[in-house]
Amino acid sequence: MLRTMKAAALAALLMLCCGQAVAAEGLKDEEQVLALTRRMMETAMTREPDAVFAMLKPHYPVDPAEIDALSSNARMYWAAITTRFGKPLAYELVQTERIGKSFVRYTFLQKFEKHALRWTFSFYRPKDSWLANTFKFDDTIEPLYQAD
């Protein structure tokens, strides 16, 4: 099941990165970007991923139909995730990374009763505003470990 989840997450990531370009609402600064990702995580605590996808859609420069298809796939896997991991308990921002002044990536850990998910949101600033660049969730937490 985890391989299937990882394959689905990879497919979603590739489709979101390589889709047809469309107009998207930019966010004016990193404060707005972080606020949006926090609202998305709050939503993920009580609703299925399609609600999170819907919040990101206005800021993604790809065809909204592609996001809708990915959202539908994510909804199918969510039942398996909650059955295996239990109920969501909390979330925390665990990593913030930047590439110069052009990219920012926020990584959150969503804790469940039996395991956790990693949510990653990446934004790109081509000019004066920030656009969603990539988005994924999976249960690959190994990269989050840091030596003391």
Side-chain angles (χ1 to χ4, degrees):
M1 178 174 87
L2 292 178
R3 280 193 179 158
T4 305
M5 285 172 36
K6 288 178 184 177
L10 178 60
L13 180 65
L14 289 173
M15 287 179 72
L16 289 174
C17 289
C18 305
Q20 174 185 352
V22 297
E25 290 178 29
L27 299 159
K28 74 175 186 171
D29 55 36
E30 280 190 51
E31 285 183 26
Q32 284 189 345
V33 173
L34 182 57
L36 173 64
T37 59
R38 288 186 184 281
R39 284 192 311 272
M40 292 168 65
M41 289 307 302
E42 286 292 328
T43 300
M45 294 301 297
T46 59
R47 300 188 52 201
E48 293 184 356
D50 54 333
V52 177
F53 277 80
M55 295 174 73
L56 195 59
K57 192 188 301 189
H59 310 288
Y60 240 115
V62 298
D63 184 352
E66 292 180 31
I67 296 174
D68 292 340
L70 296 172
S71 176
S72 178
N73 288 338
R75 193 176 328 112
M76 290 188 315
Y77 292 110
W78 196 249
I81 289 169
T82 55
T83 297
R84 182 170 181 193
F85 297 167
K87 294 179 183 177
L89 301 174
Y91 72 89
E92 62 183 298
L93 176 63
V94 295
Q95 225 169 34
T96 301
E97 301 165 287
R98 289 179 179 79
I99 302 174
K101 295 180 180 181
S102 299
F103 283 90
V104 64
R105 178 170 57 194
Y106 298 108
T107 302
F108 290 84
L109 190 68
Q110 184 181 20
K111 299 191 282 186
F112 289 76
E113 294 169 316
K114 301 173 193 165
H115 193 48
L117 288 178
R118 173 181 66 160
W119 291 75
T120 305
F121 306 94
S122 179
F123 289 80
Y124 170 57
R125 186 174 68 181
K127 292 182 182 177
D128 299 328
S129 62
W130 292 90
L131 301 173
N133 186 257
T134 59
F135 158 70
K136 70 176 182 174
F137 66 90
D138 59 32
D139 67 336
T140 306
I141 60 170
E142 283 297 318
L144 301 178
Y145 282 100
Q146 298 176 0
D148 288 338

